[in-house]
Amino acid sequence: MKTLSISLTALAASLAASAAFAGDKVVFGTNWLAQGGHGGFYQALADGTYEKYGLEVEIRQGGPQVNNRPMLIAGKLDFLMAGNLLLSFDNVRNGIPTTVVAAIFQKDPQALIAHEGVYESWEDLTTAPEILLSKDGQFSYWKWMVEDFGFRDEQVRPYGYNLAQFLSDEKMVQQAYATAEPLYAAAEGADVATYLMADHGWNTYATTIETRQQMIDENPDVVQRFVEASIEGWYTFLYGDHTAGYEAIIAANPELTVEKLDAEMAQMAKLGIIDSGDAVELGIGAMTDARIADFYETAVKSGILEEGALDLTKVADTSFVNKRHGIEIKTAAEGN
């Protein structure tokens, strides 16, 4: 009996070790093709951080023909990299039980770009003859721009998702993702002025992590581990050895190069996209109920949402962040 007991104990230990090694399987969907703005997630995958936290993570890219948002709702994804808070507001308004659990970007990279020296300031852009905007832009941040700064609907022209019109017209202004189009235009020889909307009151978080409320209710430990591992990945990607992250991104999106990723990350640092605002004290991923409510008021005032259209308490769960997790990675890197 003693031998049998020992054997059963050893078998149980072996099975437990195997289960720990295998990890909890997690599928994470991004909002576009792999890029520097996804770097912390690829870093955590490539350097073993997710594995250290007992997670077996698969990253599924978004892209031109891929919409990962319905996949989260359908249970095909466990976590989703979302854009800004407007879509999260919309989910709650429509009774879709998804919840934001972290906000990687303190600033939304949404911007306007102009040719350097043509306009003196953000406010001066209201004098531009034409501004190229997408339909999504016209029904979201443009309303805020009209309400708060006096931009005019007659300025709007359709954005064709290329730089041809901008490059051929010195007075042209267009929407941009601050870590993309300004760099592309500069590569074509244009001197570009980038006006980040976040610096003028567009106060949403961006590159948030969403999950289903069911996941929070049934597997809060998995949510916590995924958030913490992702945060560590971001600190390492920004302040440590990001070689593994770069290699993973380029493997997923071969159109990128080390030079392109370096330029993108330099732009993010220059604009204070990630490690700024509340993240400086509370850690990357930080978000507060007060700021979410503040952006909701911005959206209501601008006519993007109706007052009372949703229950703000269902938008986000801040209990997984604001713990200064991972800051020691930055501190150690800066001490070297």
Side-chain angles (χ1 to χ4, degrees):
M1 291 294 292
K2 185 176 181 181
T3 301
L4 177 59
S5 176
I6 292 173
S7 297
L8 289 173
T9 300
L11 177 60
S14 175
L15 290 172
S18 297
F21 177 79
D24 293 300
K25 292 185 178 181
V26 168
V27 183
F28 174 57
T30 67
N31 57 5
W32 200 249
L33 299 173
Q35 56 191 270
H38 304 171
F41 304 112
Y42 281 95
Q43 181 73 35
L45 179 66
D47 69 9
T49 300
Y50 285 135
E51 184 178 0
K52 180 182 74 172
Y53 275 81
L55 300 171
E56 183 181 331
V57 175
E58 175 190 348
I59 298 179
R60 291 184 186 171
Q61 295 186 83
Q65 307 301 323
V66 179
N67 181 6
N68 273 330
R69 177 164 286 278
M71 298 298 101
L72 177 66
I73 300 163
K76 303 297 184 181
L77 300 176
D78 300 297
F79 297 95
L80 174 72
M81 179 197 302
N84 63 39
L85 288 172
L86 287 179
L87 287 175
S88 303
F89 288 164
D90 201 47
N91 274 4
V92 174
R93 182 175 59 175
N94 288 301
I96 298 171
T98 60
T99 305
V100 179
V101 293
I104 302 302
F105 289 5
Q106 289 291 305
K107 293 182 179 182
D108 188 345
Q110 193 64 56
L112 293 182
I113 57 172
H115 292 268
E116 189 70 60
V118 176
Y119 303 97
E120 297 298 323
S121 65
W122 166 262
E123 288 77 11
D124 199 27
L125 297 178
T126 61
T127 68
E130 297 181 330
I131 300 178
L132 304 177
L133 290 178
S134 66
K135 283 293 184 183
D136 285 346
Q138 292 176 48
F139 290 106
S140 55
Y141 53 79
W142 178 253
K143 291 188 173 184
W144 160 75
M145 292 163 61
V146 170
E147 173 68 26
D148 280 23
F149 297 98
F151 286 87
R152 296 163 288 107
D153 286 337
E154 53 265 32
Q155 292 176 282
V156 175
R157 300 292 183 273
Y159 177 46
Y161 291 93
N162 65 70
L163 288 166
Q165 288 178 274
F166 177 79
L167 293 173
S168 64
D169 185 347
E170 190 178 59
K171 293 184 178 181
M172 184 65 71
V173 175
Q174 73 161 60
Q175 72 174 54
Y177 200 72
T179 58
E181 282 84 0
L183 302 181
Y184 306 155
E188 295 292 331
D191 292 325
V192 180
T194 301
Y195 298 90
L196 197 66
M197 294 180 188
D199 291 338
H200 301 281
W202 184 247
N203 53 346
T204 179
Y205 295 117
T207 303
T208 59
I209 300 175
E210 281 189 8
T211 190
R212 292 181 304 283
Q213 184 60 42
Q214 179 186 11
M215 188 80 166
I216 295 172
D217 295 339
E218 297 179 0
N219 297 293
D221 178 61
V222 172
V223 177
Q224 188 69 68
R225 284 185 282 135
F226 181 77
V227 169
E228 290 187 356
S230 298
I231 289 170
E232 285 189 25
W234 273 106
Y235 273 114
T236 300
F237 191 72
L238 293 176
Y239 300 109
D241 181 0
H242 57 225
T243 303
Y246 270 30
E247 290 176 350
I249 292 168
I250 293 169
N253 183 4
E255 291 186 4
L256 294 178
T257 64
V258 169
E259 292 74 22
K260 288 179 179 179
L261 287 171
D262 281 345
E264 182 181 349
M265 298 315 298
Q267 181 81 335
M268 293 182 81
K270 175 183 175 182
L271 297 172
I273 299 293
I274 299 174
D275 197 3
S276 62
D278 290 331
V280 175
E281 292 298 325
L282 300 178
I284 289 173
M287 57 181 182
T288 66
D289 293 331
R291 181 165 165 193
I292 292 169
D294 192 38
F295 180 62
Y296 171 72
E297 289 304 319
T298 296
V300 169
K301 179 185 174 186
S302 303
I304 301 169
L305 292 172
E306 294 181 2
E307 182 73 53
L310 58 105
D311 181 354
L312 275 181
T313 65
K314 295 183 178 181
V315 172
D317 185 334
T318 63
S319 67
F320 299 101
V321 292
N322 304 339
K323 302 177 182 182
R324 296 179 58 83
H325 184 79
I327 285 181
E328 68 279 0
I329 297 172
K330 175 184 176 181
T331 303
E334 291 179 338
N336 292 335

